Amino acid sequence: MKKHLITLCLSLLIGLQAIAQDSKPIYNASKFGIRSDGVTMNTRSIQFAIDWIAEQGGGTLRFWVGRYLTGSIHMKSNVTIELVEGAVLVGSTNPFDYDRLEATNDHALILAEGVENIRLIGYYNSGGVIEGQGRELGNNCTDLVHKGLMKDKLSNDRVGEGFRPRLLIFRECKNVEVDNVTFRNAANWVTMYDQCENVKVNNVRIQSTAFWNNDGIDIVDCDGFVLTNSYVDASDDAICLKSHSAKKLCQNVEVRNCTARSSASGIKFGTMGAGGFKNVHIINNTVYDTYRSAITIQSVDGGICENILVDSLYATNVGNAIYLNVGARRDKQSFMDGITIRNLYCEVAATKPDAGYEYEGPIEDLPRNISPCGIIGLKDSKIKNVTLENIEIIFPGGGDPHYAHIGLDELDKVPEMPKAYPEFSQHEELPAWGFFIRHVEGLVMNNITLKALKKDYRTAIVLDDVSSHGISELKVEEPDGTQKDAIFERK
């Protein structure tokens, strides 16, 4: 109840701020000599307009139908950018047209740092578009390295993330609204909200598969963030919560009524989790055609992960359903306590679920049969108090012992891997086809249905060092598996 009241108050606060913003003047972009021909470079005239409106006490800069070419622009307090349907802000393909934030040295097309009461909204039907021209921009960055004008190691003949601009970065901003806008084709992470407070993102559409590292929405160390009614199709993690600062938390976050498609993970906590995650609700979302996990919750960088609720998640054609993991990548103990996942339906793919993406996920290390769900802590940092209820997962089955095999008497062969980059497939072959659960204290599994479409040599559920657990109303379906125990436990 308390969390719902906090969310309601946040929505009311942002709503009142929006009303106040709407009462301010509206200025057409053409007033400032901003051209919609797709050729004129408008960076300075757009920035002049934003600065001038801020000096007048705030207002709205409205872009009508057309293509507005620009480099980096900086939002200012009390300013709204409004994109009418048919208006497109087009990012320059010249890497030198992008500015960097003072705090983090990150660069993007739309920047905001330490400001408040800012809005980026679409007007009329589907609103406007932010177009990054990411493939050409990314390739131009690589060309500059080849020419000796930029220095980078060029991993896989592409520049690192620090050299490719994002589409949007808001850093240390308060009272933010982004509504009814489409983001397309970034050269890097698409949108990032870093250490912001009181943020509402609604009805955004992200379509960005034109280049590598295209995280759709990154929520980094924010306090009070509501993401609703949005669609993300990204060639990296679609919706990703992160914690970059050990002194901060990504907390009081709600993700509701969203759809995600990804050549990495659908909804993910981490990988970076220096401070951690607290009080997060993931409600009524859909994930499909996604290479890695539908839901990934990680604490591997010395932070905490507490009071997380995932409710009503529907996932189809994904590489994995659920992955919970505690690691110790930075020689610091990490913590995970209080994870509830309920009302989940998932269909795990037998083949590569992101086949056909412009940038597919990599082929996994072999040998490996199809991975089960993983809930994997560490001996000295167990995952605590996990509740799974009302869950149905369809697995392809078909695990072949002649291809790869770990027996139930060989659990010590499954590596701990506390310092590895955490992914559900990192442990390679696992001796379960439904759930592999290790180093957990306090586990409730109620009304769980696991179906294997083909006979699998493995057991459905393996518990390894799991204490204080209760499993009820478990239903396991597997062809010709009637003589096999559904659960194996090693204390």
Side-chain angles (χ1 to χ4, degrees):
M1 179 61 72
K2 182 179 179 181
K3 290 304 300 167
H4 289 301
L5 287 174
I6 292 173
T7 301
L8 177 60
C9 290
L10 172 60
S11 298
L12 288 173
L13 175 62
I14 294 176
L16 290 173
Q17 290 158 350
I19 293 171
Q21 287 285 87
D22 287 337
S23 66
K24 295 182 181 296
I26 298 175
Y27 304 93
N28 292 327
S30 59
K31 173 184 177 70
F32 304 93
I34 300 168
R35 304 303 181 193
S36 61
D37 54 20
V39 177
T40 302
M41 181 58 71
N42 290 294
T43 309
R44 289 193 175 185
S45 45
I46 294 175
Q47 192 61 58
F48 176 88
I50 292 171
D51 295 345
W52 186 88
I53 292 171
E55 290 171 1
Q56 310 312 306
T60 296
L61 178 61
R62 175 177 285 173
F63 292 81
W64 290 94
V65 175
R67 292 176 65 83
Y68 300 85
L69 182 64
T70 182
S72 290
I73 57 176
H74 299 255
M75 297 287 287
K76 297 297 177 67
S77 293
N78 304 310
V79 174
T80 294
I81 289 181
E82 181 180 271
L83 302 175
V84 175
E85 184 178 47
V88 185
L89 286 185
V90 183
S92 170
T93 59
N94 185 342
F96 297 122
D97 287 335
Y98 291 85
D99 299 337
R100 294 181 179 271
L101 293 177
E102 292 184 8
T104 63
N105 203 37
D106 293 317
H107 53 337
L109 181 64
I110 302 176
L111 295 164
E113 188 169 16
V115 300
E116 60 184 24
N117 305 327
I118 58 174
R119 302 168 71 205
L120 175 61
I121 61 174
Y123 179 74
Y124 191 70
N125 292 337
S126 61
V129 174
I130 315 293
E131 166 63 53
Q133 302 193 92
R135 177 172 294 151
E136 187 174 355
L137 176 57
N139 288 335
N140 286 345
C141 292
T142 302
D143 288 343
L144 290 173
V145 176
H146 286 308
K147 293 173 181 177
L149 301 176
M150 293 170 57
K151 292 184 179 181
D152 188 60
K153 61 183 179 180
L154 283 184
S155 176
N156 299 317
D157 199 32
R158 57 187 170 97
V159 295
E161 293 179 39
F163 290 94
R164 288 178 276 121
R166 296 165 170 84
L167 278 188
L168 178 149
I169 302 175
F170 289 169
R171 163 83 180 188
E172 295 181 332
C173 298
K174 294 182 180 180
N175 309 326
V176 175
E177 181 181 2
V178 179
D179 197 318
N180 196 30
V181 177
T182 297
F183 296 88
R184 291 198 308 229
N185 302 325
N188 200 343
W189 297 358
V190 185
T191 61
M192 182 171 75
Y193 305 85
D194 186 2
Q195 296 187 18
C196 294
E197 298 180 23
N198 299 338
V199 180
K200 183 179 180 181
V201 178
N202 177 63
N203 193 28
V204 301
R205 296 160 298 280
I206 293 179
Q207 298 165 330
S208 192
T209 60
F211 212 76
W212 302 77
N213 307 116
N214 270 202
D215 283 15
I217 298 176
D218 286 293
I219 305 168
V220 184
D221 287 321
C222 290
D223 188 353
F225 194 108
V226 179
L227 169 64
T228 52
N229 307 315
S230 295
Y231 173 82
V232 182
D233 182 4
S235 59
D236 208 325
D237 300 324
I239 300 171
C240 193
L241 286 71
K242 295 178 181 288
S243 177
H244 289 172
S245 172
K247 298 179 180 180
K248 297 286 185 177
L249 287 172
C250 191
Q251 62 182 342
N252 303 321
V253 176
E254 180 173 321
V255 178
R256 183 184 292 268
N257 300 335
C258 295
T259 299
R261 178 177 185 259
S262 169
S263 61
S265 294
I267 301 173
K268 179 178 177 181
F269 293 62
T271 295
M272 182 57 67
F277 313 95
K278 189 174 183 179
N279 302 332
V280 180
H281 288 180
I282 310 293
I283 311 293
N284 195 35
N285 298 286
T286 299
V287 176
Y288 74 104
D289 292 357
T290 288
Y291 172 63
R292 296 195 184 276
S293 302
I295 180 69
T296 299
I297 303 175
Q298 303 168 352
S299 182
V300 298
D301 297 301
I304 65 170
C305 191
E306 296 180 352
N307 190 24
I308 311 299
L309 171 64
V310 179
D311 193 343
S312 302
L313 177 62
Y314 183 86
T316 57
N317 193 37
V318 298
N320 183 255
I322 299 168
Y323 184 58
L324 277 57
N325 177 242
V326 167
R329 294 198 306 172
R330 299 185 170 194
D331 296 320
K332 295 181 180 179
Q333 188 173 16
S334 304
F335 303 90
M336 186 178 295
D337 189 350
I339 312 296
T340 298
I341 301 176
R342 65 190 184 207
N343 303 318
L344 176 145
Y345 175 85
C346 183
E347 298 174 4
V348 176
T351 57
K352 201 168 185 291
D354 68 332
Y357 257 74
E358 293 178 89
Y359 284 94
E360 295 183 13
I363 300 298
E364 292 293 350
D365 293 333
L366 299 177
R368 184 180 68 85
N369 286 302
I370 296 295
S371 296
C373 298
I375 304 177
I376 303 174
L378 297 174
K379 290 180 181 179
D380 58 353
S381 187
K382 295 184 178 181
I383 298 175
K384 296 182 179 181
N385 301 314
V386 176
T387 299
L388 308 174
E389 58 183 3
N390 303 329
I391 289 175
E392 181 177 358
I393 306 175
I394 315 298
F395 294 88
D400 185 352
H402 299 291
Y403 177 63
H405 183 276
I406 293 288
L408 295 176
D409 58 346
E410 301 175 299
L411 295 186
D412 289 335
K413 289 185 177 180
V414 178
E416 299 283 347
M417 304 184 74
K419 296 187 181 299
Y421 185 91
E423 295 290 3
F424 74 87
S425 58
Q426 73 184 72
H427 305 280
E428 299 184 0
E429 186 64 18
L430 290 171
W433 60 262
F435 276 89
F436 181 77
I437 304 174
R438 169 183 272 181
H439 304 318
V440 175
E441 181 181 323
L443 171 69
V444 174
M445 300 178 72
N446 179 49
N447 192 23
I448 309 295
T449 298
L450 306 176
K451 297 180 181 179
L453 300 181
K454 294 182 179 179
K455 184 178 180 179
D456 201 302
Y457 81 91
R458 299 170 293 180
T459 301
I461 299 175
V462 170
L463 307 177
D464 184 13
D465 184 26
V466 179
S467 60
S468 303
H469 62 79
I471 301 176
S472 60
E473 298 186 56
L474 172 67
K475 183 179 181 181
V476 176
E477 298 181 11
E478 178 186 355
D480 303 319
T482 55
Q483 303 302 314
K484 185 167 58 177
D485 290 337
I487 302 173
F488 175 83
E489 179 177 7
R490 182 177 78 161
K491 295 185 180 291

